[in-house]
Short mmCIF file of all heavy atoms in Angstrom, two decimals:
data_model
loop_
_atom_site.label_atom_id
_atom_site.label_comp_id
_atom_site.label_asym_id
_atom_site.label_seq_id
_atom_site.Cartn_x
_atom_site.Cartn_y
_atom_site.Cartn_z
N GLU A 4 7.77 2.94 22.54
CA GLU A 4 6.51 2.99 23.36
C GLU A 4 5.83 4.34 23.08
O GLU A 4 4.71 4.47 23.06
CB GLU A 4 6.80 2.81 24.80
CG GLU A 4 7.35 1.44 25.11
CD GLU A 4 7.64 1.19 26.62
OE1 GLU A 4 7.59 2.18 27.28
OE2 GLU A 4 7.87 0.09 27.03
N LEU A 5 6.65 5.39 22.83
CA LEU A 5 6.05 6.82 22.56
C LEU A 5 5.03 7.10 23.66
O LEU A 5 3.95 7.72 23.47
CB LEU A 5 5.28 6.81 21.21
CG LEU A 5 6.21 6.56 20.03
CD1 LEU A 5 5.40 6.57 18.79
CD2 LEU A 5 7.32 7.57 19.90
N LYS A 6 5.50 6.89 24.97
CA LYS A 6 4.56 7.17 26.07
C LYS A 6 4.72 8.65 26.57
O LYS A 6 5.78 9.29 26.42
CB LYS A 6 4.78 6.22 27.28
CG LYS A 6 4.33 4.82 27.02
CD LYS A 6 4.59 4.03 28.21
CE LYS A 6 4.05 2.54 28.01
NZ LYS A 6 4.41 1.70 29.21
N GLY A 7 3.81 9.18 27.23
CA GLY A 7 3.85 10.53 27.82
C GLY A 7 3.57 11.61 26.97
O GLY A 7 3.52 11.50 25.69
N SER A 8 3.30 12.75 27.62
CA SER A 8 2.95 13.99 26.86
C SER A 8 4.02 14.43 25.83
O SER A 8 3.67 15.07 24.82
CB SER A 8 2.67 15.12 27.92
OG SER A 8 3.93 15.38 28.62
N LYS A 9 5.33 14.30 26.18
CA LYS A 9 6.33 14.72 25.24
C LYS A 9 6.30 13.96 23.89
O LYS A 9 6.94 14.41 22.87
CB LYS A 9 7.74 14.55 25.87
CG LYS A 9 8.28 13.21 26.10
CD LYS A 9 9.53 13.25 26.78
CE LYS A 9 10.08 11.80 27.13
NZ LYS A 9 11.47 11.98 27.75
N PHE A 10 5.61 12.81 23.81
CA PHE A 10 5.50 12.11 22.49
C PHE A 10 4.09 12.14 22.14
O PHE A 10 3.74 11.13 21.25
CB PHE A 10 5.92 10.57 22.72
CG PHE A 10 7.44 10.46 22.95
CD1 PHE A 10 7.98 10.11 24.14
CD2 PHE A 10 8.33 10.59 21.88
CE1 PHE A 10 9.30 10.04 24.36
CE2 PHE A 10 9.67 10.52 21.95
CZ PHE A 10 10.28 10.23 23.25
N HIS A 11 3.33 12.98 22.46
CA HIS A 11 1.81 12.96 22.19
C HIS A 11 1.69 13.15 20.64
O HIS A 11 0.85 12.28 20.11
CB HIS A 11 1.16 14.15 22.87
CG HIS A 11 -0.26 14.44 22.45
ND1 HIS A 11 -1.31 13.65 22.85
CD2 HIS A 11 -0.79 15.38 21.56
CE1 HIS A 11 -2.42 14.16 22.33
NE2 HIS A 11 -2.11 15.11 21.53
N ASP A 12 2.37 13.99 19.99
CA ASP A 12 2.25 14.23 18.53
C ASP A 12 2.71 12.95 17.74
O ASP A 12 2.05 12.67 16.83
CB ASP A 12 3.03 15.41 18.08
CG ASP A 12 2.41 16.70 18.51
OD1 ASP A 12 1.19 16.63 18.92
OD2 ASP A 12 3.05 17.78 18.61
N LYS A 13 3.77 12.39 18.18
CA LYS A 13 4.26 11.15 17.50
C LYS A 13 3.39 9.99 17.68
O LYS A 13 3.13 9.25 16.73
CB LYS A 13 5.63 10.75 18.09
CG LYS A 13 6.79 11.90 17.89
CD LYS A 13 7.12 12.21 16.57
CE LYS A 13 8.17 13.10 16.42
NZ LYS A 13 8.45 13.62 15.01
N ARG A 14 2.87 9.85 18.89
CA ARG A 14 1.85 8.71 19.10
C ARG A 14 0.58 8.97 18.34
O ARG A 14 0.05 8.06 17.70
CB ARG A 14 1.56 8.82 20.62
CG ARG A 14 0.77 7.53 21.05
CD ARG A 14 0.75 7.48 22.53
NE ARG A 14 0.13 8.60 23.19
CZ ARG A 14 0.83 9.54 23.95
NH1 ARG A 14 2.13 9.34 23.99
NH2 ARG A 14 0.24 10.51 24.42
N ASN A 15 0.17 10.25 18.14
CA ASN A 15 -1.06 10.45 17.26
C ASN A 15 -0.70 10.12 15.86
O ASN A 15 -1.67 9.51 15.11
CB ASN A 15 -1.46 11.88 17.47
CG ASN A 15 -2.29 12.11 18.67
OD1 ASN A 15 -2.74 11.24 19.38
ND2 ASN A 15 -2.66 13.41 18.99
N GLN A 16 0.40 10.48 15.32
CA GLN A 16 0.78 10.16 14.00
C GLN A 16 0.79 8.65 13.69
O GLN A 16 0.29 8.25 12.67
CB GLN A 16 2.13 10.88 13.62
CG GLN A 16 1.98 12.37 13.52
CD GLN A 16 3.39 13.01 13.33
OE1 GLN A 16 4.31 12.70 14.10
NE2 GLN A 16 3.49 13.83 12.36
N VAL A 17 1.36 7.92 14.68
CA VAL A 17 1.53 6.45 14.52
C VAL A 17 0.11 5.86 14.49
O VAL A 17 -0.28 5.03 13.70
CB VAL A 17 2.39 5.96 15.60
CG1 VAL A 17 2.16 4.41 15.68
CG2 VAL A 17 3.86 6.23 15.29
N ASN A 18 -0.80 6.28 15.42
CA ASN A 18 -2.13 5.72 15.57
C ASN A 18 -2.90 6.00 14.39
O ASN A 18 -3.72 5.27 13.84
CB ASN A 18 -2.83 6.24 16.81
CG ASN A 18 -2.15 5.81 18.07
OD1 ASN A 18 -1.53 4.66 18.11
ND2 ASN A 18 -2.27 6.45 19.26
N LYS A 19 -2.87 7.26 13.82
CA LYS A 19 -3.72 7.60 12.57
C LYS A 19 -3.20 6.85 11.44
O LYS A 19 -3.94 6.40 10.60
CB LYS A 19 -3.48 9.09 12.35
CG LYS A 19 -4.19 10.07 13.27
CD LYS A 19 -4.05 11.45 12.92
CE LYS A 19 -4.75 12.46 13.78
NZ LYS A 19 -4.54 13.80 13.62
N PHE A 20 -1.91 6.58 11.33
CA PHE A 20 -1.33 5.82 10.28
C PHE A 20 -1.89 4.40 10.24
O PHE A 20 -2.46 3.89 9.19
CB PHE A 20 0.14 5.78 10.30
CG PHE A 20 0.88 4.89 9.12
CD1 PHE A 20 1.17 5.48 7.98
CD2 PHE A 20 1.05 3.58 9.38
CE1 PHE A 20 1.69 4.77 6.93
CE2 PHE A 20 1.65 2.82 8.39
CZ PHE A 20 1.89 3.42 7.16
N ARG A 21 -1.87 3.87 11.41
CA ARG A 21 -2.26 2.41 11.56
C ARG A 21 -3.89 2.24 11.36
O ARG A 21 -4.19 1.28 10.80
CB ARG A 21 -1.89 1.84 12.92
CG ARG A 21 -0.47 1.61 13.09
CD ARG A 21 -0.13 0.55 14.25
NE ARG A 21 1.08 0.11 14.28
CZ ARG A 21 2.35 0.66 14.86
NH1 ARG A 21 2.01 1.60 15.89
NH2 ARG A 21 3.52 0.16 14.74
N SER A 22 -4.49 3.31 11.60
CA SER A 22 -5.99 3.19 11.39
C SER A 22 -6.40 3.47 10.00
O SER A 22 -7.47 3.03 9.50
CB SER A 22 -6.76 4.27 12.24
OG SER A 22 -6.36 5.57 11.83
N ARG A 23 -5.48 4.08 9.20
CA ARG A 23 -5.82 4.44 7.76
C ARG A 23 -5.16 3.43 6.80
O ARG A 23 -5.71 3.33 5.70
CB ARG A 23 -5.27 5.80 7.51
CG ARG A 23 -5.93 6.95 8.17
CD ARG A 23 -5.27 8.30 7.80
NE ARG A 23 -5.90 9.31 8.51
CZ ARG A 23 -5.52 10.66 8.48
NH1 ARG A 23 -4.38 10.97 7.77
NH2 ARG A 23 -6.16 11.53 9.19
N TYR A 24 -4.08 2.77 7.01
CA TYR A 24 -3.30 2.03 6.13
C TYR A 24 -3.07 0.69 6.57
O TYR A 24 -2.87 0.29 7.73
CB TYR A 24 -1.98 2.79 5.84
CG TYR A 24 -2.04 4.25 5.38
CD1 TYR A 24 -1.73 5.23 6.24
CD2 TYR A 24 -2.50 4.43 4.03
CE1 TYR A 24 -1.73 6.64 5.69
CE2 TYR A 24 -2.45 5.77 3.57
CZ TYR A 24 -2.18 6.80 4.46
OH TYR A 24 -2.25 8.08 4.05
N ARG A 25 -2.90 -0.17 5.61
CA ARG A 25 -2.28 -1.55 5.79
C ARG A 25 -0.95 -1.60 5.27
O ARG A 25 -0.68 -1.01 4.28
CB ARG A 25 -3.21 -2.54 5.05
CG ARG A 25 -4.65 -2.63 5.55
CD ARG A 25 -5.39 -3.73 4.66
NE ARG A 25 -4.85 -5.07 4.93
CZ ARG A 25 -5.24 -6.13 4.36
NH1 ARG A 25 -6.20 -6.16 3.45
NH2 ARG A 25 -4.71 -7.33 4.59
N TYR A 26 -0.03 -2.11 6.16
CA TYR A 26 1.29 -2.22 5.80
C TYR A 26 1.94 -3.56 6.26
O TYR A 26 1.41 -4.21 7.12
CB TYR A 26 2.06 -1.04 6.32
CG TYR A 26 2.39 -1.05 7.86
CD1 TYR A 26 3.55 -1.52 8.38
CD2 TYR A 26 1.38 -0.60 8.71
CE1 TYR A 26 3.71 -1.57 9.75
CE2 TYR A 26 1.51 -0.61 10.11
CZ TYR A 26 2.72 -1.12 10.54
OH TYR A 26 2.94 -1.25 12.02
N GLU A 27 3.23 -3.78 5.91
CA GLU A 27 4.00 -4.93 6.31
C GLU A 27 5.36 -4.47 6.70
O GLU A 27 5.97 -3.76 5.67
CB GLU A 27 3.93 -5.93 5.25
CG GLU A 27 4.88 -7.23 5.50
CD GLU A 27 5.01 -8.16 4.38
OE1 GLU A 27 4.60 -7.64 3.30
OE2 GLU A 27 5.51 -9.29 4.66
N TYR A 28 5.93 -4.83 7.81
CA TYR A 28 7.28 -4.55 8.10
C TYR A 28 8.24 -5.76 7.62
O TYR A 28 7.71 -6.87 7.90
CB TYR A 28 7.51 -4.34 9.50
CG TYR A 28 9.07 -4.21 9.85
CD1 TYR A 28 9.66 -2.98 9.73
CD2 TYR A 28 9.88 -5.24 10.25
CE1 TYR A 28 11.12 -2.88 9.89
CE2 TYR A 28 11.20 -5.10 10.36
CZ TYR A 28 11.84 -3.94 10.34
OH TYR A 28 13.18 -3.82 10.50
N ILE A 29 9.28 -5.45 6.94
CA ILE A 29 10.17 -6.53 6.44
C ILE A 29 11.59 -6.31 6.87
O ILE A 29 12.07 -5.19 6.69
CB ILE A 29 10.14 -6.59 4.88
CG1 ILE A 29 8.69 -6.49 4.32
CG2 ILE A 29 10.74 -7.84 4.32
CD1 ILE A 29 8.70 -6.12 2.89
N THR A 30 12.21 -7.33 7.43
CA THR A 30 13.59 -7.29 7.66
C THR A 30 14.41 -7.38 6.37
O THR A 30 14.06 -8.40 5.47
CB THR A 30 14.11 -8.39 8.67
OG1 THR A 30 13.44 -8.15 9.89
CG2 THR A 30 15.60 -8.31 8.78
N LEU A 31 15.28 -6.39 6.04
CA LEU A 31 15.89 -6.44 4.82
C LEU A 31 16.79 -7.56 4.55
O LEU A 31 17.65 -8.10 5.42
CB LEU A 31 16.82 -5.15 4.62
CG LEU A 31 16.83 -4.53 3.25
CD1 LEU A 31 15.49 -4.22 2.76
CD2 LEU A 31 17.68 -3.32 3.33
N THR A 32 16.76 -8.22 3.42
CA THR A 32 17.64 -9.29 2.88
C THR A 32 18.02 -9.04 1.51
O THR A 32 17.54 -8.16 0.88
CB THR A 32 16.82 -10.64 2.94
OG1 THR A 32 15.62 -10.49 2.13
CG2 THR A 32 16.48 -11.16 4.32
N PRO A 33 19.15 -9.63 1.00
CA PRO A 33 19.74 -9.31 -0.16
C PRO A 33 18.70 -9.26 -1.45
O PRO A 33 18.84 -8.58 -2.36
CB PRO A 33 20.86 -10.23 -0.33
CG PRO A 33 21.37 -10.66 0.97
CD PRO A 33 20.09 -10.55 1.84
N ASP A 34 17.81 -10.16 -1.28
CA ASP A 34 16.88 -10.40 -2.45
C ASP A 34 15.82 -9.16 -2.53
O ASP A 34 15.18 -8.95 -3.59
CB ASP A 34 16.00 -11.56 -2.29
CG ASP A 34 15.37 -11.71 -1.04
OD1 ASP A 34 15.87 -11.69 0.03
OD2 ASP A 34 14.02 -11.68 -1.14
N LEU A 35 15.82 -8.28 -1.59
CA LEU A 35 14.91 -7.09 -1.56
C LEU A 35 15.71 -5.85 -1.98
O LEU A 35 15.09 -4.76 -2.09
CB LEU A 35 14.38 -6.76 -0.09
CG LEU A 35 13.42 -7.90 0.44
CD1 LEU A 35 13.20 -7.64 1.89
CD2 LEU A 35 12.14 -7.99 -0.33
N ILE A 36 17.02 -5.97 -2.22
CA ILE A 36 17.84 -4.78 -2.57
C ILE A 36 17.26 -4.13 -3.85
O ILE A 36 17.22 -2.73 -3.86
CB ILE A 36 19.33 -5.09 -2.80
CG1 ILE A 36 19.84 -5.61 -1.36
CG2 ILE A 36 20.19 -3.98 -3.16
CD1 ILE A 36 19.77 -4.57 -0.30
N GLU A 37 16.85 -4.70 -4.84
CA GLU A 37 16.43 -4.11 -6.09
C GLU A 37 15.19 -3.31 -5.87
O GLU A 37 15.11 -2.14 -6.38
CB GLU A 37 16.16 -5.16 -7.18
CG GLU A 37 17.40 -5.80 -7.75
CD GLU A 37 18.42 -4.74 -8.48
OE1 GLU A 37 17.86 -3.89 -9.09
OE2 GLU A 37 19.58 -4.97 -8.24
N GLU A 38 14.35 -3.76 -4.99
CA GLU A 38 13.16 -2.98 -4.68
C GLU A 38 13.52 -1.71 -3.88
O GLU A 38 12.91 -0.67 -4.09
CB GLU A 38 12.20 -3.73 -3.89
CG GLU A 38 11.36 -4.79 -4.53
CD GLU A 38 10.45 -5.47 -3.65
OE1 GLU A 38 9.39 -4.96 -3.34
OE2 GLU A 38 10.53 -6.61 -3.32
N CYS A 39 14.49 -1.91 -2.96
CA CYS A 39 14.96 -0.67 -2.21
C CYS A 39 15.59 0.37 -3.12
O CYS A 39 15.46 1.49 -2.95
CB CYS A 39 15.91 -1.17 -1.18
SG CYS A 39 15.09 -2.11 0.19
N LEU A 40 16.38 -0.06 -4.05
CA LEU A 40 17.03 0.80 -5.03
C LEU A 40 16.01 1.60 -5.87
O LEU A 40 16.16 2.79 -6.18
CB LEU A 40 17.97 0.03 -5.94
CG LEU A 40 19.21 -0.46 -5.30
CD1 LEU A 40 19.94 -1.50 -6.20
CD2 LEU A 40 20.21 0.60 -4.99
N ALA A 41 14.91 0.90 -6.28
CA ALA A 41 13.82 1.53 -6.99
C ALA A 41 13.16 2.55 -6.10
O ALA A 41 12.85 3.67 -6.64
CB ALA A 41 12.85 0.46 -7.50
N PHE A 42 12.99 2.26 -4.86
CA PHE A 42 12.44 3.21 -3.96
C PHE A 42 13.28 4.46 -3.76
O PHE A 42 12.82 5.58 -3.81
CB PHE A 42 12.11 2.68 -2.59
CG PHE A 42 11.68 3.62 -1.48
CD1 PHE A 42 10.48 4.24 -1.60
CD2 PHE A 42 12.57 4.02 -0.50
CE1 PHE A 42 10.15 5.26 -0.56
CE2 PHE A 42 12.31 5.00 0.37
CZ PHE A 42 11.05 5.63 0.36
N GLU A 43 14.66 4.21 -3.60
CA GLU A 43 15.48 5.30 -3.47
C GLU A 43 15.45 6.23 -4.72
O GLU A 43 15.54 7.43 -4.56
CB GLU A 43 17.01 4.77 -3.21
CG GLU A 43 18.15 5.79 -3.42
CD GLU A 43 18.10 6.91 -2.48
OE1 GLU A 43 17.37 6.79 -1.45
OE2 GLU A 43 18.72 7.91 -2.73
#
């Protein structure tokens, strides 16, 4: 949730990211491992 003053900076970073970029969250499955290895 990143609520409250103690998470102010984190919340701002998340909001700025979502306003600037398009992205997709993916649950990892074995068929994605090669892509993850390339990223590593």
